[in-house]
């Protein structure tokens, strides 16, 4: 992940906190343009080539309980590097990747080639309302772009609401910042934490937290 190397992490977070002073709609519009610009060159975070990123992906997949996942959503999928690993790991699943950058999604579609069970949609996690729920949802290295606590809380509520009953939400963020980013999920009653793996033996520690939706019946999305 090259952002912290290019901009100190605190300045990076300040920039996105400032953007979150806009209305949610205004914030989404600016983030869409920002991430299209950020993707002006292919794979801007080297997600497809960096050994650390690959280690994070395989560590993430190892945390999942073995289940026959049928509908999988990846939020903030960028150019589809992890999406492709998901498609290999779960050959029977229908997989959706969403991202706020149209340019990233064009590359994700090219990366996946022609396959009807994987699709990519341009969407903002703050406003996305899919027509069905998912039994597995991933959100990795994305929540800190939402900025201030109120927006992270709204995004956390949206993420929980994307889950089918007993569906799993997998959150992957830098450690210890993950404690702040995941705290709204921890404080609410929509999901309960099943497991948390903290990888500290790497230059940029990260946490993989797995949450499960409650089984109480909820209105449809
Ligand atoms: C650092 S990349 C993470 C990619 C991937 N999740 C991973 O871990 O390899 C973050 C992605 O989140 C997307 N993103 C940022 N804010 C978003 C939002 N509000 N809704 C949807 N996607 C967003 C960006 O366009 C970018 O592609």
């Amino acid at each position: 992940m090259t952002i912290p190397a290019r901009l100190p992490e605190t300045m990076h977070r300040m920039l996105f906190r400032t953007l979150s002073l806009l209305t949610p709609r205004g914030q989404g519009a600016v983030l869409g343009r920002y991430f299209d610009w950020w993707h002006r060159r292919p794979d801007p975070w080297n997600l497809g080539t960096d050994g650390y990123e690959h280690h994070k992906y395989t560590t993430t997949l190892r945390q999942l309980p073995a289940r026959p996942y049928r509908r999988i959503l990846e939020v903030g999928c960028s150019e589809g590097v992890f999406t492709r690993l998901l498609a290999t790991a779960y050959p029977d699943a229908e997989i959706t990747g969403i991202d706020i950058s149209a340019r990233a999604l064009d590359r994700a579609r090219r990366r996946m080639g022609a396959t009807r069970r994987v699709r990519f949609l341009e969407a903002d996690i703050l406003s996305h309302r899919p027509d069905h729920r998912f039994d597995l949802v991933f959100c990795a290295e994305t929540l800190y772009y939402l900025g201030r606590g109120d927006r992270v809380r709204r995004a956390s509520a949206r993420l929980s609401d994307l889950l089918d009953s007993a569906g799993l939400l997998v959150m992957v963020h830098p450690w210890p910042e993950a404690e702040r980013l995941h705290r709204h999920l921890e404080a609410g009653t929509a999901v309960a934490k099943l497991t948390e793996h903290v990888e500290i033996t790497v230059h940029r520690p990260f946490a993989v937290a797995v949450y499960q939706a409650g089984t109480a019946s909820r209105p449809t999305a």
Side-chain angles (χ1 to χ4, degrees), residues 72 74 77 80 82-88 90-91 93-97 108-109 111-121:
I72 302 177
E74 186 191 357
C77 63
F82 184 61
T83 326
R84 193 159 67 177
L85 291 181
L86 283 174
T88 305
Y90 300 104
E94 222 176 71
I95 301 174
T96 306
R109 290 185 190 103
R111 184 184 300 275
M112 278 311 303
T115 160
R116 284 173 45 202
R117 68 185 182 91
V118 181
R119 64 184 186 147
F120 294 97
L121 302 175

Side-chain angles (χ1 to χ4, degrees), residues 1 31 35 39 45 47 53 56-57 74-78 82 98-101 104 123-126 140-142 144-146:
M1 192 69 50
L31 286 179
F35 283 106
H39 286 91
W45 294 284
L47 302 176
E53 300 299 337
K56 188 151 36 111
Y57 295 148
E74 186 191 357
V75 173
C77 63
S78 184
F82 184 61
I98 67 166
D99 202 281
I100 207 160
S101 163
D124 180 347
I125 183 53
L126 283 181
E141 302 284 355
T142 298
Y144 41 73
Y145 295 118
L146 275 299

Side-chain angles (χ1 to χ4, degrees), residues 155-201:
S156 304
R158 284 303 315 141
L159 287 167
S160 305
D161 210 37
L162 294 169
L163 297 173
D164 229 327
S165 58
L168 299 184
L169 172 61
V170 183
M171 304 290 289
V172 185
H173 288 101
W175 182 263
E177 187 182 20
E179 288 185 306
R180 173 179 75 81
L181 294 169
H182 301 170
R183 75 177 191 279
H184 300 289
L185 295 167
E186 311 261 340
T189 54
V191 294
K193 188 154 74 184
L194 279 189
T195 59
E196 183 171 60
H197 172 86
V198 180
E199 188 85 357
I200 48 167
T201 59

